[in-house]
Amino acid sequence: MATGGSKRVRVIDVANAVGVSKATAVFSLNDRYDIVISEPTRQRVKNMAAKMGYKPNPLAQALSTGKTGMINIVVPYINDPFFSRFLAHFQQIAFDAHLTPIVTANFNEDENADEFMERLIHWPCDAYILCYSKKLAAFLTERKIHLEKPVVYIGEKVDGIDSVYSDHQAAIAAILNHFSEDRRTDIVFVSDEKALHYINERYRLYLDHMKRIGRKPVELVVPERSRGAAYSTVREHLAAHKPPQAFFCYNDELAIGVQRAVQDSGYNVPDVAVSGFDGLPEGDYMNPRLTTVVYPYDKMCHAAWDLLEARKENLAGASNVVEFQSSFVQGGSTRLPDRVPSLTD
Amino acid sequence: MATGGSKRVRVIDVANAVGVSKATAVFSLNDRYDIVISEPTRQRVKNMAAKMGYKPNPLAQALSTGKTGMINIVVPYINDPFFSRFLAHFQQIAFDAHLTPIVTANFNEDENADEFMERLIHWPCDAYILCYSKKLAAFLTERKIHLEKPVVYIGEKVDGIDSVYSDHQAAIAAILNHFSEDRRTDIVFVSDEKALHYINERYRLYLDHMKRIGRKPVELVVPERSRGAAYSTVREHLAAHKPPQAFFCYNDELAIGVQRAVQDSGYNVPDVAVSGFDGLPEGDYMNPRLTTVVYPYDKMCHAAWDLLEARKENLAGASNVVEFQSSFVQGGSTRLPDRVPSLTD
DNA sequence: CTGAAAGCGCTTACAG
DNA sequence: CTGAAAGCGCTTACAG
């Protein structure tokens, strides 16, 4: 049976209805002006197609042309306020470009990850947008997929493929500097295992900072990158230890759990300061508001798209990098009431 | 050029490498045990396919069989903590079933909505899962798409197609009852325009309740279903009016903005009570915790999947409905300290 | 413009 | 098991 329902209209049906050949119908519909067809004929075909509700079967077109009109957008997790912002942007961009976005979560380090990647590279699509999944980027480049189809990476600078990222250094320094100005030196770094395992910029700058001010770094490792896990870990920690002057959290997701844990343990925020990262919208609705770092999401997404478009012309060319700057945003979760806030930007 | 890279391995390549016919190769790979092929031959084909990295081209398979292996999952918005939970569940379900999920946001009432729906029905896929988009459901049933492919609706009971929903009545009653027990009678309903426009259960039960207790209902209409819009609306309201005893909010998204607005206006929550709806994870991390209503998301998703599976066998059969019960969860955002909490379940 | 044909990569019915 | 063939619905090169 034909794909897409029993009585789907085909080009041949349109051609027969108008009384022209299949070729003429196709050329008219596809605006092939390199073929000589009279304007009235073109119009008759188009009108009839519209009247009959003809839509080309994308599958057949794809098989014939090698262009699927599908674009694979990969994020580590689909149900995550951080990544879903990127998804929403790309969804809109793809819609406008008349492409079908195949949105997939790559399960990053999960047990399904390998299986996922195998399936991914065999799925026919025209291009890939990878968000924050270095492992997947390595997988694709190893198999030279980026030489066959455009691939763009968003999140970090990755060798060999076009990438877009936001530089966090100044923003991280601003947070740590802000702690110093409030004379907070007893700072705990909160992250999940992954963030410690890889060479992590936030962690590294934290270590540098602690060294500089001559204090011993303390890491609190949360078993999983979720607010719930952060909450439990910090509750336990505060049951056994005195609170630090500040919790420097890997991201907002963790900071949200941390802040709640501090409060539920009977301490006040910002007496105990809590800082996050990522600029999740919900941070603005915490009480107090979460100090965080925001990135220019929309600009990053559009830059990624532009790279992808440009790449089509030149698959083998040298890879490009587009850099943005993240910015520190101070909220009540770190501001001591008796001090004037100091924003670096 | 072939889809999916220049040197993609095809069945014929595998067949030639083993020295069997194309048909034999296909039958072996597809485990067609209705065809007599010796076991050793089957194995040789499979091993060679694995060795050569052969994966069938899904596009060609789809065109030939009429089965695309794609399932369309539609939500109003992709970047929404409520809907993205459903997405995450279905993503996993589809992965396990070896299907490719086409995740799309239908922009619900936006300007793009019509264009979106037109494209949607012409996109070849094997089935549809619609989440909370009645307009789209009507569009599909009008065109009798549900008689061609399985369609399941999640969110409400919809005539003519299989649907899964959670009944909120008891939970809504529990919230209102909870307000009464705390002697709160001055209750404001907060929703966006849509929620008032349609016949809305939460709104209707609120009106009934206010009538019963002899108080005048007050609706606060937020221009858009976002926490930011709710925040602004309530800030303005509280600048001009005395606070009510309770804000009964259409959902958590709005309640999050409302709670923050109440606090920023200088009032205490739960002196002014705020209740939400949906059981978003972030409600648990508000200060105080948000009183809300939770649904059995995972069960709903699996029920929807089961309906879809069953529907394949019998497209024309009468539609089924699976109902779940939502439950009231009391948080600190409504609990008066001097009263014993009263949970109905 | 037309008409007949090949091809994308697969599945499947059929005669041997 | 094999081999030759038709078909899914489209695109495209080619001879007229």
Side-chain angles (χ1 to χ4, degrees):
Chain A
M1 195 192 74
T3 308
S6 39
K7 40 192 184 307
R8 182 169 186 133
V9 182
R10 296 157 302 164
V11 252
I12 189 67
D13 300 323
V14 176
N16 290 342
V18 179
V20 297
S21 72
K22 198 174 154 191
T24 304
V26 169
F27 294 147
S28 300
L29 290 169
N30 293 0
D31 287 328
R32 286 280 299 267
Y33 284 105
D34 53 324
I35 310 281
V36 183
I37 298 175
S38 73
E39 201 49 42
T41 304
R42 286 180 194 270
Q43 277 310 323
R44 277 193 300 144
V45 171
K46 287 190 172 189
N47 292 341
M48 181 57 78
K51 188 177 152 202
M52 297 175 75
Y54 168 74
K55 301 276 176 183
N57 182 336
L59 254 29
Q61 283 184 311
L63 195 59
S64 180
T65 63
K67 289 283 152 201
T68 64
M70 296 188 246
I71 177 165
N72 226 313
I73 301 167
V74 190
V75 292
Y77 299 97
I78 205 166
N79 177 20
D80 178 299
F82 179 69
F83 299 120
S84 64
R85 295 184 149 203
F86 289 99
L87 286 185
H89 276 291
F90 286 124
Q91 161 92 24
Q92 182 66 55
I93 289 174
F95 183 84
D96 293 341
H98 280 77
L99 293 176
T100 301
I102 308 284
V103 172
T104 38
N106 75 343
F107 306 103
N108 245 357
E109 314 290 310
D110 294 9
E111 42 170 337
N112 284 329
D114 289 338
E115 160 89 14
F116 169 83
M117 294 194 293
E118 278 298 336
R119 283 202 220 167
L120 185 78
I121 59 169
H122 283 103
W123 179 262
C125 70
D126 296 342
Y128 295 93
I129 295 177
L130 314 181
C131 298
Y132 295 87
S133 17
K134 272 199 139 167
K135 190 175 171 185
L136 180 54
F139 188 87
L140 291 188
T141 49
E142 233 171 64
R143 283 157 189 74
K144 310 224 183 292
I145 306 285
H146 62 300
L147 299 179
E148 294 171 13
K149 310 174 186 180
V151 176
V152 59
Y153 190 92
I154 198 163
E156 292 133 305
K157 187 173 160 178
V158 168
D159 282 341
I161 55 180
D162 290 338
S163 43
V164 175
Y165 75 104
S166 190
D167 179 69
H168 300 320
Q169 260 194 251
I172 297 170
I175 294 179
L176 295 167
N177 180 44
H178 169 54
F179 286 153
S180 286
E181 290 184 338
D182 284 351
R183 309 203 189 295
R184 301 189 199 263
T185 53
D186 184 11
I187 307 167
V188 169
F189 182 70
V190 182
S191 74
D192 56 321
E193 290 174 42
K194 275 177 243 168
L196 284 183
H197 190 210
Y198 297 125
I199 307 303
N200 179 282
E201 186 185 29
R202 273 157 253 186
Y203 185 47
R204 190 168 48 72
L205 291 177
Y206 164 76
L207 292 179
D208 290 351
H209 179 81
M210 296 306 271
K211 194 168 184 181
R212 199 177 323 116
I213 65 176
R215 303 300 297 249
K216 195 168 160 293
V218 180
E219 301 95 18
L220 209 52
V221 179
V222 177
E224 172 188 299
R225 195 176 292 182
S226 75
R227 57 191 77 183
Y231 179 82
S232 311
T233 302
V234 171
R235 282 306 300 257
E236 274 174 42
H237 181 80
L238 292 178
H241 304 82
K242 283 175 60 177
Q245 293 171 302
F247 283 104
F248 177 56
C249 305
Y250 179 76
N251 68 8
D252 285 349
E253 181 74 22
L254 296 178
I256 287 165
V258 170
Q259 172 156 323
R260 184 73 230 190
V262 169
Q263 292 170 329
D264 284 2
S265 299
Y267 300 104
N268 175 269
V269 178
D271 287 350
V272 176
V274 177
S275 72
F277 216 94
D278 286 350
L280 292 192
E282 53 191 292
D284 278 344
Y285 294 87
M286 302 288 291
N287 183 14
R289 278 192 174 72
L290 204 56
T291 288
T292 191
V293 171
V294 301
Y295 328 174
Y297 301 97
D298 50 346
K299 286 182 190 163
M300 289 170 75
C301 292
H302 283 280
W305 185 256
D306 291 342
L307 285 179
L308 212 59
E309 289 284 292
R311 177 57 60 192
K312 283 181 192 165
E313 314 304 326
N314 177 19
L315 281 171
S319 60
N320 306 298
V321 177
V322 178
E323 178 189 310
F324 290 93
Q325 285 292 327
S326 307
S327 41
F328 169 60
V329 175
Q330 186 181 295
S333 71
T334 56
R335 187 192 302 120
L336 281 186
D338 58 332
R339 292 198 56 97
V340 177
S342 72
L343 288 171
T344 45
D345 69 329
Chain B
M1 198 192 77
T3 307
S6 39
K7 39 192 186 307
R8 184 171 185 132
V9 182
R10 295 156 304 164
V11 251
I12 188 67
D13 301 323
V14 176
N16 289 342
V18 180
V20 298
S21 72
K22 198 174 154 191
T24 304
V26 170
F27 294 146
S28 300
L29 290 170
N30 293 0
D31 287 327
R32 284 282 300 269
Y33 283 105
D34 52 324
I35 309 281
V36 183
I37 298 175
S38 72
E39 201 48 43
T41 304
R42 285 181 193 271
Q43 277 311 322
R44 277 193 299 143
V45 172
K46 289 191 172 189
N47 292 341
M48 182 57 78
K51 187 177 154 207
M52 298 174 75
Y54 169 73
K55 301 276 173 181
N57 181 336
L59 254 28
Q61 282 184 311
L63 195 59
S64 179
T65 63
K67 289 283 153 199
T68 64
M70 296 189 246
I71 177 166
N72 226 312
I73 301 167
V74 189
V75 291
Y77 300 97
I78 206 167
N79 177 20
D80 179 298
F82 179 69
F83 299 120
S84 64
R85 293 184 150 202
F86 289 99
L87 285 185
H89 276 290
F90 285 125
Q91 160 94 24
Q92 182 67 55
I93 290 174
F95 184 84
D96 293 341
H98 279 77
L99 293 176
T100 301
I102 308 284
V103 171
T104 38
N106 74 344
F107 306 102
N108 245 358
E109 315 289 311
D110 293 9
E111 39 168 340
N112 285 329
D114 289 338
E115 159 90 14
F116 169 83
M117 294 194 293
E118 279 298 335
R119 284 201 220 168
L120 185 77
I121 60 170
H122 283 104
W123 179 262
C125 70
D126 296 342
Y128 295 93
I129 296 178
L130 314 181
C131 297
Y132 295 87
S133 18
K134 271 199 140 166
K135 190 175 171 184
L136 180 55
F139 188 87
L140 291 187
T141 48
E142 234 171 63
R143 282 156 189 76
K144 310 223 183 292
I145 306 285
H146 62 300
L147 298 178
E148 294 172 12
K149 310 174 186 181
V151 176
V152 59
Y153 189 92
I154 198 162
E156 293 132 303
K157 187 173 161 179
V158 169
D159 283 341
I161 55 181
D162 291 339
S163 43
V164 176
Y165 74 105
S166 189
D167 180 69
H168 301 320
Q169 261 194 250
I172 297 169
I175 294 178
L176 294 167
N177 180 44
H178 169 54
F179 286 153
S180 285
E181 289 185 341
D182 284 350
R183 308 205 189 295
R184 302 190 199 260
T185 53
D186 183 13
I187 306 167
V188 169
F189 182 70
V190 182
S191 74
D192 57 320
E193 289 174 42
K194 276 177 242 168
L196 284 183
H197 189 210
Y198 297 126
I199 309 301
N200 178 282
E201 188 186 28
R202 271 157 256 185
Y203 184 46
R204 192 169 47 71
L205 291 177
Y206 164 76
L207 292 179
D208 290 352
H209 179 80
M210 296 307 272
K211 194 169 182 180
R212 200 178 321 115
I213 65 176
R215 303 301 296 250
K216 197 169 160 291
V218 179
E219 301 95 18
L220 209 53
V221 179
V222 177
E224 170 189 300
R225 195 175 291 182
S226 75
R227 57 191 74 181
Y231 178 83
S232 310
T233 303
V234 171
R235 283 304 301 255
E236 275 175 41
H237 181 80
L238 291 178
H241 303 82
K242 284 174 57 176
Q245 292 173 302
F247 283 103
F248 177 55
C249 304
Y250 179 77
N251 67 9
D252 285 349
E253 181 74 21
L254 296 178
I256 286 165
V258 171
Q259 172 156 323
R260 183 75 231 188
V262 169
Q263 293 170 330
D264 283 2
S265 300
Y267 300 105
N268 175 269
V269 178
D271 287 350
V272 177
V274 177
S275 73
F277 216 95
D278 288 348
L280 293 192
E282 52 192 291
D284 277 345
Y285 293 87
M286 301 287 292
N287 181 18
R289 277 193 175 72
L290 205 56
T291 288
T292 192
V293 170
V294 301
Y295 327 174
Y297 301 96
D298 51 344
K299 286 184 190 162
M300 290 171 75
C301 292
H302 283 280
W305 184 257
D306 291 344
L307 285 178
L308 212 59
E309 289 284 292
R311 176 57 60 191
K312 284 181 191 165
E313 314 302 326
N314 176 20
L315 281 171
S319 59
N320 306 298
V321 178
V322 178
E323 179 188 309
F324 290 93
Q325 286 292 328
S326 306
S327 41
F328 170 60
V329 175
Q330 187 181 295
S333 72
T334 57
R335 187 192 302 118
L336 280 186
D338 58 333
R339 292 199 56 98
V340 176
S342 71
L343 289 172
T344 46
D345 67 330

